[in-house]
Amino acid sequence: NAPLAQVASQQGKWLARRLNALAHDADAFQKIQTHKPFIYASNGSLAYIGSERAIAELPWFNKQITLNGPFASVFWKAYCLWELSSVRSSLSVATDWAKRALFGRTMSVD
């Protein structure tokens, strides 16, 4: 089964391109039948499994590569930071991860 967020994101971008074409071209509605249908392309899967370990399945030249362990954890964290909406959010999350790595988890509430 395909990961639903990947499918929804790709379909949303595909639909946005079609709707923008309709908005900018009066004849686009007649041409809509000639547009290519939506085709899902897997971007792979990432899962953080705890204790600085993760697993990644990534497409690579028509093959699936599986990574696991600390390297996959670093890859997962880098992707997570990349997907955040702002530099401020990325820095905040990275700082929290660094504090946890240095000092461990805290159970107190500030």
Side-chain angles (χ1 to χ4, degrees):
N1 293 341
L4 296 179
Q6 283 186 33
V7 176
S9 175
Q10 289 180 23
Q11 279 182 322
K13 289 174 185 175
W14 178 86
L15 182 60
R17 284 192 298 271
R18 297 303 171 264
L19 292 175
N20 283 332
L22 285 173
H24 293 20
D25 184 4
D27 297 327
F29 193 74
Q30 270 62 32
K31 299 180 218 171
I32 203 158
Q33 294 298 326
T34 63
H35 284 277
K36 294 180 181 177
F38 172 75
I39 298 172
Y40 169 71
S42 175
N43 293 327
S45 299
L46 289 170
Y48 185 73
I49 55 177
S51 300
E52 300 302 317
R53 293 181 304 153
I55 187 164
E57 291 181 347
L58 306 169
W60 185 266
F61 296 109
N62 296 327
K63 293 182 180 181
Q64 283 289 91
I65 294 177
T66 302
L67 306 171
N68 57 33
F71 180 73
S73 177
V74 169
F75 186 79
W76 181 87
K77 287 181 179 185
Y79 181 78
C80 184
L81 292 175
W82 180 51
E83 281 292 312
L84 290 174
S85 59
S86 70
V87 173
R88 181 180 181 193
S89 296
S90 296
L91 289 174
S92 176
V93 170
T95 301
D96 288 344
W97 286 341
K99 285 191 298 188
R100 191 186 77 217
L102 291 172
F103 306 113
R105 292 187 184 270
T106 179
M107 296 297 170
S108 64
V109 177
D110 295 333

